[in-house]
Amino acid sequence: MKYLPSLSLTLRGRFRGGFTSKIMNNRINKLFQEKKEGILSVYFTAGYPELNDTRTIIEELVKNGVDLIEIGMPFSDPVADGPVIQQSSLVALQNGMSVKKLFEQLHNIRQSVDIPLILMGYLNPVIQYGVEAFCQKCNEIGIDGLIIPDLPPSVYEEDYKAIFEASNLHNIFLITPQTDDERLREIDEKSTGFIYMVSSNATTGAKTSVNQFQKEYFGRIRSKNLKNPRLIGFGISNAETFAEACQFASGAIIGSAFVKCLEGDGKLVQKISGFIHSIATKS
Amino acid sequence: MSYQVNEKGYYGEFGGAYIPEMMRPNIEELRTNYMRIINSYNFRQDYISLLKNYVGRPSPLYYAKRMSEHYQSHIYLKREDCNHTGSHKINNTIGQILLAKELGKTRIIAETGAGQHGLATATVCALMGMKCIVYMGAIDVERQAPNVKKMRMLGAEVVPVESGSKTLKDATNGAMRDWINNPVDTFYIIGSTMGPHPYPDMVARFQSVISEEIRWQLDEQAGREKPTRVVACVGGGSNAAGAFYHFIDDEDVELIGVEAAGKGVDTHETAATITKGTVGVLHSFRSYVLQDEDGQINEAYSISAGLDYPGIGPMHANLHKTDRAKYIWATDEEVLKAVMLLTQKEGIIPALESAHALAGLEKISLKPEDITVVNISGRGDKDMETYLNYLGY
Ligand SMILES: Cc1ncc(COP(=O)(O)O)c(C=O)c1O
């Protein structure tokens, strides 16, 4: 009895040394291998504007040529978010959105959708669902990665990494203009999938232009030759800011501006195709 | 067993720093510098001198004779209500603003519920000539109008927060978002033993002056340093942390925290986090929180704007879990009775928050020989409208 556990430990240790990441055949890796520039990733809050819009939004985004989708899990206290996503989260929760509900809505999504899907949200709802159960469910559905801004890398490494990797999930880390070189190297080392570059010192929210300070930051990070590809997000809102960001990274993420375009009257599918075409007419 | 924070920022399983990367440089700067600064000679000189000559410390420890007769026991009141600005909050803001200055920050942000922490922050900002922005839930802006006016008079900008439940929780979200948007010149003065490490530990240290004084004052007056028990109200937990601090390792001193039950712990209109909460992560620390089964944070309710927070500081979560301290609750109704009792027995009008500690006395069996110290965390000026409505004046 004593002999067996120690044997399995050695085996596990050896495997660890052999692979840098245990995540395999993940759609995120495939996307970045196949497409080196101009990747368009779109964020939306699940349950907004209506509870059951989730699938329509995903399918419409795919139809319009979006490369990657971040599905927002609304939280009552989204501290990293600006007014637009605060509001969409509030409405989504009032509509009755929850992690459980979202998983129901995403059931069988892989029968119709091929592009990478990421869930983005805050830690507490994941903890209450149960981290292991949550990750297993993601795997079952075919989710490729998670972005949880209030799960810092050190806590992730200690308590979450093994669970995420067992379900073939990338955990996406953020960097900001304040991230120093040492931290940058650490995050590059710990990252799999891609690095989420927060475009400025700000919560989420659309801005209409990229300023000189941001360009210097984008350029500085580009020159570091990181091992992971990067997407730039927060404040990317239109064709100009998208194109600008794409000069410095593999692509960019649009959140608040897209969420905002969904509000008001009109048909959902038309708003979505109109918005995506205004960003990237070529795709 | 140590009840203090460990190297990683945890009290047992509670605490930590669940911060988004955007807040990391500021939190790291604070974490790696706070103990060095607090222990430095210059800091101690300034801190002690301001507490003495500006705040008016030591605050009295008062033997409440008629309350003692009423309860057939010995009741002492620690008079934090006598502090400049009217509550214990100033002990902490003096400490943090000196720290902010030492770190070279020029812009101060804070969250506030009752307005007492906002007021204490606006006050030290005026004192130090620093820019001050206070986030306050829109509902609290209305129900604590006198404090809002005082803060504005002191030169602070008071920003009403319209999101979520429009109370303390949302004010905290507002302040955290401000910090993310202003990461270089700004220091966030958190008002209670909450938030990411090292805030809970730092705030507890600044408030620990309360129990430091109780020890020698009680020795002077009663010939013993240790009371039978210490009773304090608990919102985020700072006045209780300060009143417990130097007794934590004396296991023969009972520590009792009183939470706000609002309309009752069996209703949804409550703020009794330890009694009703489950473990979760809110505002960058792990503790008990009021939440639904999907992990969404519930709104807390209490008649007292300083206690309606759906979380509790990690130090208290651990003191509860390890059974070192006991947490009980008092309802709005019980609290208003306690306000009247103290007012008419001792001529002291307490804050609604502090009256929770007094209401707790009704639920503790007090023996004739017991010595109970009740922390009167603040005065009732800000609550006069509530009191007058209650009395029908
Ligand atoms: C007088 C008074 N006591 C107590 C509190 C509650 O805070 P804490 O639990 O941090 O002492 C407040 C908060 O505003 C207060 O104003």
Side-chain angles (χ1 to χ4, degrees):
Chain A
M1 273 314 283
K2 259 188 166 176
Y3 173 74
L4 283 173
S6 71
L7 177 69
S8 77
L9 270 180
T10 345
L11 280 176
R12 250 175 59 200
R14 214 183 290 155
F15 263 118
R16 281 248 166 94
F19 301 101
T20 48
S21 165
K22 291 183 169 174
I23 298 167
M24 287 180 293
N25 298 326
N26 182 297
R27 294 173 198 87
I28 294 175
N29 303 93
K30 214 167 127 237
L31 170 66
F32 284 94
Q33 276 154 22
E34 287 168 2
K35 194 163 176 180
K36 304 287 180 198
E37 57 186 28
I39 291 177
L40 173 58
S41 174
V42 171
Y43 165 96
F44 73 97
T45 306
Y48 177 87
E50 300 293 337
L51 179 61
N52 291 316
D53 286 339
T54 310
R55 272 193 106 100
T56 315
I57 295 175
I58 294 172
E59 282 160 11
E60 206 51 35
L61 286 172
V62 173
K63 226 183 271 172
N64 283 280
V66 163
D67 299 301
L68 192 163
I69 298 174
E70 292 169 25
I71 305 165
M73 303 178 283
F75 181 48
S76 53
D77 295 82
V79 289
D81 285 298
V84 172
I85 294 176
Q86 284 173 44
Q87 183 59 24
S88 64
S89 301
L90 184 71
V91 172
L93 291 173
Q94 284 166 351
N95 288 344
M97 186 40 88
S98 67
V99 173
K100 268 192 214 110
K101 186 84 207 165
L102 178 61
F103 283 150
E104 276 167 37
Q105 294 175 342
L106 295 176
H107 181 70
N108 281 342
I109 189 84
R110 284 305 177 193
Q111 290 180 355
S112 57
V113 173
D114 251 354
I115 67 170
L117 296 175
I118 288 177
L119 295 188
M120 180 166 187
Y122 292 81
L123 186 56
N124 197 50
V126 176
I127 293 177
Q128 301 317 319
Y129 191 91
V131 179
E132 274 177 56
F134 181 91
C135 290
Q136 280 161 12
K137 196 76 196 175
C138 285
N139 184 258
E140 209 179 291
I141 289 168
I143 299 296
D144 304 287
L146 301 173
I147 305 175
I148 304 177
D150 57 347
L151 175 59
S154 56
V155 181
Y156 171 72
E157 290 266 302
E158 236 170 73
D159 300 335
Y160 291 78
K161 187 173 167 172
I163 303 170
F164 279 36
E165 288 188 348
S167 289
N168 219 29
L169 290 165
H170 286 295
N171 183 41
I172 308 301
F173 295 118
L174 276 54
I175 61 170
T176 80
Q178 301 300 317
T179 305
D180 63 27
D181 279 0
E182 192 187 331
R183 180 68 168 175
L184 188 62
R185 270 193 301 276
E186 185 191 340
I187 286 179
D188 193 33
E189 207 46 55
K190 288 179 176 163
S191 289
T192 59
F194 67 94
I195 290 175
Y196 193 131
M197 264 181 86
V198 176
S199 76
S200 66
N201 296 323
T203 44
T204 54
K207 294 197 181 52
T208 48
S209 66
V210 173
N211 65 29
Q212 196 52 37
F213 172 79
Q214 287 174 289
K215 280 186 205 163
E216 275 164 30
Y217 155 59
F218 296 166
R220 175 166 63 82
I221 301 298
R222 184 177 56 184
S223 73
K224 300 287 181 195
N225 294 317
L226 302 180
K227 73 178 174 68
N228 289 282
R230 288 155 283 115
L231 293 181
I232 296 177
F234 284 40
I236 308 302
S237 65
N238 53 22
E240 292 76 54
T241 45
F242 178 70
E244 198 107 55
C246 284
Q247 291 173 21
F248 296 93
S250 305
I253 304 156
I254 299 184
S256 295
F258 178 70
V259 170
K260 198 156 176 55
C261 99
L262 300 177
E263 73 189 22
D265 300 335
K267 280 197 77 172
L268 199 58
V269 292
Q270 276 154 15
K271 288 188 225 173
I272 295 170
S273 67
F275 182 85
I276 300 304
H277 280 271
S278 79
I279 301 295
T281 33
K282 62 177 188 291
S283 54
Chain B
M1 188 193 300
S2 167
Y3 298 104
Q4 295 299 341
V5 77
N6 70 18
E7 245 164 66
K8 288 184 169 170
Y10 286 85
Y11 298 84
E13 63 176 282
F14 304 104
Y18 296 81
I19 46 169
E21 194 64 20
M22 297 80 118
M23 275 167 69
R24 186 173 182 275
N26 276 314
I27 295 294
E28 275 300 291
E29 181 182 34
L30 188 61
R31 188 182 68 80
T32 51
N33 286 297
Y34 84 110
M35 284 309 294
R36 175 185 62 75
I37 296 174
I38 291 176
N39 287 325
S40 71
Y41 179 78
N42 283 347
F43 180 92
R44 293 221 68 84
Q45 286 287 97
D46 292 347
Y47 181 61
I48 290 166
S49 149
L50 283 169
L51 286 189
K52 181 164 180 258
N53 303 318
Y54 186 73
V55 174
R57 300 205 73 92
S59 69
L61 181 72
Y62 167 68
Y63 181 69
K65 189 153 170 286
R66 297 189 66 217
M67 285 288 278
S68 297
E69 278 163 12
H70 178 83
Y71 284 110
Q72 295 290 298
S73 189
H74 301 288
I75 312 288
Y76 284 83
L77 306 177
K78 181 57 174 164
R79 301 285 311 277
E80 293 299 303
D81 59 311
C82 294
N83 293 342
H84 180 42
T85 70
S87 81
H88 69 294
K89 297 285 180 187
I90 191 119
N91 304 329
N92 170 45
T93 58
I94 296 262
Q96 287 199 48
I97 198 130
L98 289 172
L99 228 150
K101 251 180 66 173
E102 187 63 29
L103 292 173
K105 308 289 178 174
T106 52
R107 182 176 173 273
I108 299 294
I109 55 172
E111 86 295 337
T112 197
Q116 286 303 104
H117 173 61
L119 178 61
T121 304
T123 299
V124 297
C125 285
L127 179 69
M128 300 289 170
M130 289 221 224
K131 193 172 161 58
C132 180
I133 295 108
V134 178
Y135 289 86
M136 190 167 186
I139 290 178
D140 291 338
V141 168
E142 261 181 47
R143 61 177 170 171
Q144 301 288 332
N147 274 343
V148 174
K149 286 174 193 158
K150 282 186 197 165
M151 287 186 267
R152 290 190 171 139
M153 185 172 167
L154 286 156
E157 182 188 339
V158 180
V159 182
V161 177
E162 300 282 353
S163 61
S165 59
K166 303 184 201 220
T167 60
L168 182 54
K169 156 176 99 71
D170 312 281
T172 307
N173 292 338
M176 285 186 165
R177 290 186 189 115
D178 180 307
W179 215 13
I180 289 172
N181 284 288
N182 298 282
V184 181
D185 60 346
T186 299
F187 188 90
Y188 180 14
I189 298 190
I190 293 187
S192 191
T193 42
M194 50 178 243
H197 177 66
Y199 277 101
D201 179 52
M202 181 173 72
V203 175
R205 284 170 191 273
F206 290 144
Q207 293 294 358
S208 70
V209 63
I210 299 173
S211 49
E212 192 184 316
E213 289 172 4
I214 294 174
R215 283 192 88 107
W216 64 257
Q217 290 172 318
L218 196 64
D219 191 25
E220 258 179 28
Q221 296 179 38
R224 53 189 271 195
E225 280 191 20
K226 294 191 274 178
T228 314
R229 67 181 64 81
V230 181
V231 184
C233 69
V234 206
S238 70
N239 88 89
F244 294 174
Y245 201 90
H246 290 283
F247 297 113
I248 286 182
D249 293 327
D250 295 317
E251 306 251 358
D252 52 336
V253 179
E254 249 182 84
L255 307 175
I256 297 176
V258 186
E259 299 192 297
K263 298 197 173 153
V265 288
D266 296 324
T267 71
H268 283 292
E269 291 174 283
T270 182
T273 311
I274 283 195
T275 311
K276 297 284 286 183
T278 49
V279 176
V281 172
L282 171 67
H283 295 148
S284 310
F285 65 103
R286 186 182 156 87
S287 187
Y288 295 100
V289 284
L290 297 174
Q291 57 183 325
D292 66 16
E293 58 172 27
D294 299 321
Q296 306 299 338
I297 308 305
N298 289 339
E299 296 175 14
Y301 166 82
S302 161
I303 191 172
S304 127
L307 300 181
D308 64 357
Y309 182 66
I312 181 157
M315 176 185 176
H316 292 290
N318 187 50
L319 291 176
H320 166 71
K321 181 95 192 229
T322 56
D323 257 342
R324 172 64 191 97
K326 206 172 142 193
Y327 295 85
I328 60 176
W329 46 264
T331 63
D332 291 355
E333 196 57 36
E334 292 165 339
V335 163
L336 287 164
K337 287 197 187 114
V339 169
M340 291 314 296
L341 186 72
L342 186 72
T343 301
Q344 303 196 341
K345 290 256 179 241
E346 300 288 350
I348 297 169
I349 303 178
L352 274 169
E353 291 78 13
S354 321
H356 284 73
L358 292 162
L361 292 176
E362 298 284 336
K363 305 185 174 187
I364 302 166
S365 86
L366 304 166
K367 297 198 198 71
E369 69 277 16
D370 286 359
I371 292 182
T372 302
V373 176
V374 182
N375 196 39
I376 305 298
S377 55
R379 64 174 92 118
D381 304 23
K382 68 185 175 59
D383 300 311
M384 283 316 294
E385 210 178 296
T386 309
Y387 297 162
L388 298 182
N389 278 339
Y390 173 69
L391 293 167
Y393 292 173

